[in-house]
């Protein structure tokens, strides 16, 4: 059963705090600065015995032009259109404002039930504002404290009859067909988490909207529109993919605003939880210093990296641009040779299928496992072709190798003196693994392990 709750209200009344309380995680950015949330964010919430989807929305502004505030308002309207109920949140300590009255009047015309929540009611200072909330004409306000979790039982009591009614309706409409197992999820249909990262204003949000075919996330000419990392579930060629739009990442020295620091931290956290990271570049500034920093961070986290050069339709000398990119990749990112690149135009929706084909191909490489037999035959050939050097007059003995995990491909090499194997020889083996077993474009980890000497503890 799909039951959806939208949280609505003017800026800085605690919508994101309530969202985090309901989902039980700190997903949405929270700060005292008004207007931190801009896009709508959905999460799986739990309240009592109810499980439902909750949508955090931007602070409502009375704007109807093409400004950023107006585009944020349209995102809120779309959230209301998807919801089964709406929660109008006000700040009880401030009391009812003209903007609260304006949007209460708007919500009274909505086609879904609306409940009024008076937030920040953890102290006596909120009592006048709680009484004042009756004048909004939305029934008795529910006193809550999103930060401290007060009043959630009263909220559950209000929502539960509508929740049960929706569940009964869904069960009634469901056809009593036998389960033939055709809807079971395949082991190969795991959700691929694709984080889309890059500098500000390179077209990350435009790319997500182009992929899913709707204006799901805010876009515009202003740099730094996206603040929260917004996850969008999507299917492409029968594969489940979670697209994660992240805030633009500038150089650390240029980030002075607290909210921007939180946004960048949120984006880096998305990289940690992704399987594939899509680094979007602007065709006019291919792979500058900040792009390289993001790419190195991705590879250090063990994620697979794909580079998309956006706005390619506006490039005049394409061959020179690609040559410059390949040169910078070879010299600056040797730890993952063969990083795939694709040229796209998100605005004109060009080459997006080719880009997604590259995502799936890279995902397969990132998950690849090499059998132990062929791996050790390859290893013996590598050692015979280039024996390990002598250290302190003694030759290193390399015994055998095995793959201990995938995601990314990770190998363990047993040797007599692990700490003395030169880095250059480790790189030699990693490059051989990459070429021989088609592991191009993903980070490879090689762990040196040393067997225990059985005579070391005996006198």
């Amino acid at each position: 059963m799909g039951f959806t709750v939208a949280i609505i209200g003017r800026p800085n009344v605690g919508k994101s705090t309530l969202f985090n309380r309901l989902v039980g995680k700190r997903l949405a950015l929270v700060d005292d600065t008004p207007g931190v949330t801009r896009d709508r964010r959905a999460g799986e919430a739990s309240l009592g015995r109810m499980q439902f989807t909750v949508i955090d929305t931007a602070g409502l502004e009375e704007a109807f032009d093409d400004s950023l505030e107006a585009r944020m308002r349209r995102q809120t309207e779309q959230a209301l259109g998807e919801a089964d109920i709406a929660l109008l949140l006000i700040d009880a300590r401030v009391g009812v404002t003209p903007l609260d009255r304006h949007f209460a009047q708007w919500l009274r015309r909505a086609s879904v039930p609306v409940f009024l929540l008076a937030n920040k009611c953890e102290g006596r200072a909120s009592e006048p504002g709680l009484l004042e909330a009756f004048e909004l004409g939305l029934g008795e306000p529910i006193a809550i404290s999103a930060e401290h979790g007060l009043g959630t039982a009263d909220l559950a009591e209000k929502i539960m009859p509508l929740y049960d009614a929706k569940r009964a309706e869904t069960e009634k409409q469901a056809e009593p067909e036998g389960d033939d197992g055709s809807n079971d999820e395949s082991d190969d249909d795991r959700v691929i988490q694709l984080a889309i990262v890059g500098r500000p204003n390179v077209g990350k949000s435009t790319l997500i909207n182009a992929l899913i075919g709707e204006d799901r996330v805010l876009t515009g000419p202003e740099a730094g529109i996206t603040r929260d990392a917004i996850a969008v579930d999507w299917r492409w060629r029968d594969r489940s993919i979670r697209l994660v739009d992240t805030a633009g990442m500038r150089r650390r020295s240029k980030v002075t605003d607290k909210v921007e620091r939180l946004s960048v931290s949120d984006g880096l956290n998305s990289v940690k939880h992704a399987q594939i990271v899509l680094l979007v570049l602007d065709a006019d500034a291919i792979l500058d210093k900040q792009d390289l920093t993001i790419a190195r961070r991705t590879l250090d986290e063990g994620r697979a990296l794909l580079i998309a050069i956006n706005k390619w339709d506006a490039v005049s000398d394409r061959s020179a641009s690609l040559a410059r990119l390949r040169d910078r990749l070879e010299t600056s990112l040797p730890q993952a040779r063969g990083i795939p690149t694709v040229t796209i135009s998100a605005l004109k929706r060009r080459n997006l299928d080719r880009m997604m084909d590259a995502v799936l191909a890279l995902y397969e490489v990132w998950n690849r496992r090499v059998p132990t037999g062929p791996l050790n035959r390859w290893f013996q050939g590598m050692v015979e072709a280039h024996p390990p050097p002598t250290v302190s007059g003694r030759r290193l003995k390399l015994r055998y190798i095995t793959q201990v995990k995938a995601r990314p491909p990770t190998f363990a090499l047993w040797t007599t003196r692990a700490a003395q194997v030169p880095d250059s020889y480790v790189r030699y083996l990693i490059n051989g693994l990459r070429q021989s077993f088609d592991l191009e474009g993903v980070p490879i980890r090689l762990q040196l392990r040393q067997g225990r000497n059985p005579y070391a503890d005996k006198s």
Side-chain angles (χ1 to χ4, degrees):
M1 181 194 70
F3 191 79
T4 304
V5 176
I7 304 174
I8 295 174
R10 62 177 177 81
N12 217 32
V13 293
K15 298 183 299 299
S16 295
T17 304
L18 178 59
F19 174 87
N20 288 341
R21 171 68 58 181
L22 292 175
V23 300
K25 300 177 184 177
R26 194 177 176 85
L27 293 182
L29 293 182
V30 176
D31 191 73
D32 291 336
T33 307
V36 171
T37 302
R38 287 176 171 172
D39 285 286
R40 69 187 194 271
R41 173 198 283 274
E44 295 307 310
S46 175
L47 188 60
R49 60 176 174 81
M50 298 181 291
Q51 305 288 329
F52 54 89
T53 300
V54 61
I55 305 177
D56 184 23
T57 64
L60 281 169
E61 301 278 4
E62 194 173 0
F64 301 93
D65 51 13
D66 291 328
S67 64
L68 176 60
E69 290 76 14
R71 299 198 300 274
M72 290 162 60
R73 176 192 168 89
R74 287 194 287 272
Q75 287 280 321
T76 300
E77 290 173 344
Q78 291 178 23
L80 184 63
E82 298 172 4
D84 294 290
I85 67 169
L87 305 179
L88 176 61
L89 207 62
I90 68 166
D91 186 339
R93 291 187 301 194
V94 174
V96 176
T97 68
L99 203 54
D100 291 326
R101 294 187 182 93
H102 175 82
F103 291 113
Q105 183 179 1
W106 172 60
L107 285 172
R108 283 201 298 270
R109 298 193 298 268
S111 59
V112 298
V114 179
F115 295 104
L116 177 62
L117 274 60
N119 192 25
K120 307 180 185 179
C121 284
E122 61 271 20
R124 298 189 63 179
S126 62
E127 292 179 1
L130 179 61
L131 295 174
E132 193 178 354
F134 280 90
E135 71 178 64
L136 293 178
L138 293 173
E140 182 179 356
I142 305 170
I144 69 165
S145 172
E147 184 174 358
H148 300 286
L150 303 177
T152 53
D154 295 332
L155 176 60
E157 186 179 348
K158 290 284 188 180
I159 295 177
M160 200 167 294
L162 296 170
Y163 178 87
D164 290 340
K166 177 71 178 289
R167 183 174 63 180
E169 180 184 352
T170 303
E171 292 173 351
K172 183 178 179 181
Q173 291 175 351
E175 296 182 4
E177 295 180 353
D179 184 8
D180 59 1
S182 60
N183 292 326
D184 291 345
E185 184 179 2
S186 169
D187 291 337
D188 296 330
D189 196 28
R190 298 173 180 171
V191 176
I192 301 174
Q193 186 134 325
L194 175 63
I196 301 178
V197 302
R199 289 178 287 111
N201 220 30
V202 295
K204 301 182 294 297
S205 299
T206 303
L207 175 58
I208 284 187
N209 288 342
L211 288 171
I212 66 177
E214 64 175 272
D215 291 335
R216 173 60 183 83
V217 289
L218 278 174
T219 60
E222 305 91 345
I225 289 178
T226 302
R227 285 177 169 171
D228 285 278
I230 304 299
V232 180
D233 290 327
W234 178 56
R235 288 192 70 83
W236 187 78
R237 293 184 181 172
D238 293 328
R239 292 302 302 266
S240 298
I241 297 175
R242 179 168 294 129
L243 304 170
V244 183
D245 187 20
T246 63
M249 301 180 188
R250 297 193 297 164
R251 293 184 188 179
R252 182 178 297 179
S253 60
K254 294 185 177 181
V255 179
T256 58
D257 180 67
K258 178 183 176 183
V259 173
E260 186 175 358
R261 285 200 303 270
L262 290 171
S263 299
V264 172
S265 177
D266 200 27
L268 293 174
N269 192 52
S270 298
V271 170
K272 291 180 181 179
H273 291 92
Q275 285 95 38
I276 310 294
V277 174
L278 179 65
L279 174 58
V280 182
L281 309 181
D282 192 316
D284 290 333
I286 292 181
L287 214 64
D288 70 358
K289 185 176 180 180
Q290 179 62 7
D291 293 324
L292 287 171
T293 300
I294 298 171
R296 290 193 191 99
R297 184 70 175 260
T298 298
L299 297 174
D300 288 346
E301 291 289 350
R303 309 302 100 181
L305 178 65
L306 172 67
I307 294 178
I309 308 174
N310 193 23
K311 309 176 187 179
W312 192 245
D313 52 306
V315 175
S316 54
D317 193 347
R318 299 182 175 181
S319 58
S321 297
L322 286 176
R324 186 168 65 252
L325 173 65
R326 282 193 290 267
D327 180 64
R328 296 214 66 179
L329 286 175
E330 288 293 325
T331 57
S332 303
L333 296 172
Q335 64 268 50
R337 295 188 183 277
I339 293 174
T341 61
V342 61
T343 57
I344 64 169
S345 173
L347 191 62
K348 297 185 178 179
R349 302 185 180 185
R350 292 180 181 172
N351 270 357
L352 301 189
D353 284 350
R354 182 169 159 234
M355 182 190 77
M356 292 308 303
D357 285 335
V359 167
L360 295 187
L362 192 59
Y363 182 73
E364 288 186 15
V365 175
W366 192 63
N367 281 276
R368 184 165 296 158
R369 284 191 173 273
V370 181
T372 302
L375 183 60
N376 277 278
R377 287 193 291 271
W378 162 86
F379 177 62
Q380 293 301 321
M382 292 290 286
V383 172
E384 291 172 4
H386 187 181
T390 58
V391 178
S392 301
R394 298 170 58 194
R395 183 171 295 278
L396 295 171
K397 294 182 180 179
L398 307 182
R399 301 191 182 282
Y400 66 94
I401 188 172
T402 186
Q403 184 173 0
V404 293
K405 66 183 286 290
R407 306 163 63 93
T410 303
F411 301 86
L413 171 62
W414 272 262
T415 178
T416 51
R417 290 173 287 165
Q420 296 179 340
V421 178
D423 291 341
S424 59
Y425 200 80
V426 172
R427 288 195 297 270
Y428 162 71
L429 293 175
I430 288 176
N431 288 334
L433 283 167
R434 194 181 306 282
Q435 294 171 6
S436 300
F437 297 104
D438 194 19
L439 297 173
E440 298 286 341
V442 299
I444 296 176
R445 292 173 174 170
L446 182 60
Q447 303 170 351
L448 301 178
R449 298 183 180 180
Q450 183 171 324
R452 191 178 68 86
N453 185 349
Y455 301 102
D457 298 330
K458 296 182 179 180
S459 55

